[in-house]
Amino acid sequence: MTTTTWHKRTSSANLAVFTGWVLALAFVSWAFQVMTQDTIWAFVSDAPAQFADIGSRMLPPAWGFINELWLPLWETLNIATLGTLIGTAIAIPVAFLAARNTTPSVRFVRPVALLAIVASRSINSLIWALLLVAILGPGVLAGIIAIALRSVGFIGKLIYEAIEEIDPAQTEALASTGASPAQVMAWGVVPQIAPTLAGVSVFRWDINIRESTVLGLVGAGGIGVKLEAALGTLAWPKVTLLLLVILATVIVSEWVTAQVRRKLI
C-alpha cells in the first residue's frame, strides 16, 4: 500500500507565490519612495511638538462663539436636505432610464443614463462646489446644487439596480390584465422599489450632512465658511468649537437616519 504525501502547493506554485510577494513588496517600496520624495523629514520629526502646541492653543473651546454658529449650521442642514431632495428627484427618472427592464432603449438611452450616473459619482461634491462657485458665485445655492449633482449618481445607481432585481411576475400579472405601461410602472415596479428608495435617500441625506460641513471651505455656504475663517486667522479655540458642533451634528444625523431606516425596514 502506497502512501501519498499531500502538499498545500506544488513547488512551482510555492515559487510563484514567493515571487508574487517579492514583487508586491518591491512595488510598495517603490510607491513609498515616490510618495515621500518631496517630504521634508525635519517637519515630520517635529510634528508631535507642533501637534502638542496647537492642541494646547485649542483648549478651552471658545464657547462664547456658539451663538454665531446657529445660522451657518441651519444653512448646512438646508444644503444637505434640499440637495438630497433635488438629487433624488433627478435620480429617479435617470434610474428608470438606466435599468434594463424599464429603459425605452437599451442601445441608446441606457448608455446615456449610465454615463450621467458615472459622471456624478466620479466627481466629488467639493469639486462640484468649486465649479459652481466659479459659475454661480459663492453662497448656499452653489452648495445645494453641488450636493444634488453628487447625490444623483449614488441614488441613481442603487435604484436602477433595485429596479433590475424586481420580481417580474408582478409586472407580468398586471400586464396580462390589460394594464397600460404607465399603470404597470406605477403599481408593479414602484411599490417594489419604494422601501429601497426611501432607505437610500435617507442614507444619502446622512452622507450629505457630513459633506455639506466642508463645502464652505470653497465658498459654498454653511458652517464650513466659519471653519475656513477660523483656520485662516489661527483662531484655534473657535476651530475646536466648530469641530465639536460638526461632530454633534453628524452624531444627531446618524441617530435620526438609524431611526428612520428602522421604521422603514
Side-chain angles (χ1 to χ4, degrees):
M1 181 177 179
T2 60
T3 58
T4 303
T5 302
W6 295 94
H7 297 280
K8 185 178 181 180
R9 299 187 185 94
T10 63
S11 298
S12 58
N14 284 329
L15 179 60
V17 171
F18 177 76
T19 304
W21 276 108
V22 170
L23 292 175
L25 290 174
F27 175 77
V28 170
S29 176
W30 172 79
F32 179 79
Q33 291 179 6
V34 171
M35 290 186 296
T36 59
Q37 62 183 355
D38 296 326
T39 301
I40 302 176
W41 293 105
F43 288 171
V44 176
S45 61
D46 190 49
Q50 295 297 329
F51 179 80
D53 179 54
I54 293 177
S56 64
R57 298 183 189 185
M58 294 178 72
L59 297 174
W63 297 110
F65 185 57
I66 189 70
N67 290 329
E68 298 183 33
L69 301 183
W70 300 122
L71 180 58
L73 181 60
W74 178 246
E75 289 181 352
T76 297
L77 295 174
N78 283 328
I79 289 172
T81 304
L82 294 176
T84 304
L85 291 174
I86 295 172
T88 303
I90 298 173
I92 292 173
V94 171
F96 276 96
L97 294 176
R100 289 184 178 275
N101 50 343
T102 57
T103 184
S105 173
V106 175
R107 179 172 297 181
F108 299 106
V109 177
R110 185 171 187 267
V112 174
L114 289 176
L115 178 61
I117 291 174
V118 171
S120 171
R121 295 176 64 239
S122 300
I123 303 176
N124 189 273
S125 58
L126 203 59
I127 299 176
W128 280 121
L130 278 169
L131 294 173
L132 290 165
V133 166
I135 296 171
L136 301 174
V140 174
L141 180 60
I144 293 173
I145 298 177
I147 291 295
L149 291 175
R150 175 65 171 169
S151 300
V152 168
F154 181 91
I155 298 173
K157 177 177 173 59
L158 295 179
I159 297 303
Y160 97 73
E161 291 178 348
I163 294 172
E164 291 183 340
E165 295 172 359
I166 63 171
D167 181 10
Q170 298 185 33
T171 57
E172 292 171 359
L174 284 170
S176 66
T177 63
S180 66
Q183 291 174 324
V184 171
M185 192 78 69
W187 302 104
V189 178
V190 173
Q192 294 191 63
I193 66 167
T196 301
L197 174 61
V200 168
S201 299
V202 172
F203 182 51
R204 186 64 215 185
W205 175 77
D206 179 41
I207 296 174
N208 288 341
I209 290 286
R210 307 175 195 188
E211 294 194 352
S212 299
T213 58
V214 298
L215 293 185
L217 295 175
V218 297
I223 200 169
V225 174
K226 293 291 186 180
L227 180 59
E228 193 275 337
L231 288 170
T233 57
L234 304 181
W236 299 115
K238 291 183 178 180
V239 171
T240 304
L241 180 63
L242 282 160
L243 294 178
L244 290 174
V245 170
I246 291 173
L247 176 63
T249 303
V250 171
I251 291 174
V252 171
S253 70
E254 191 84 33
W255 180 82
V256 171
T257 301
Q259 296 302 313
V260 173
R261 287 174 64 84
R262 185 177 295 110
K263 295 293 184 181
L264 293 174
I265 298 175

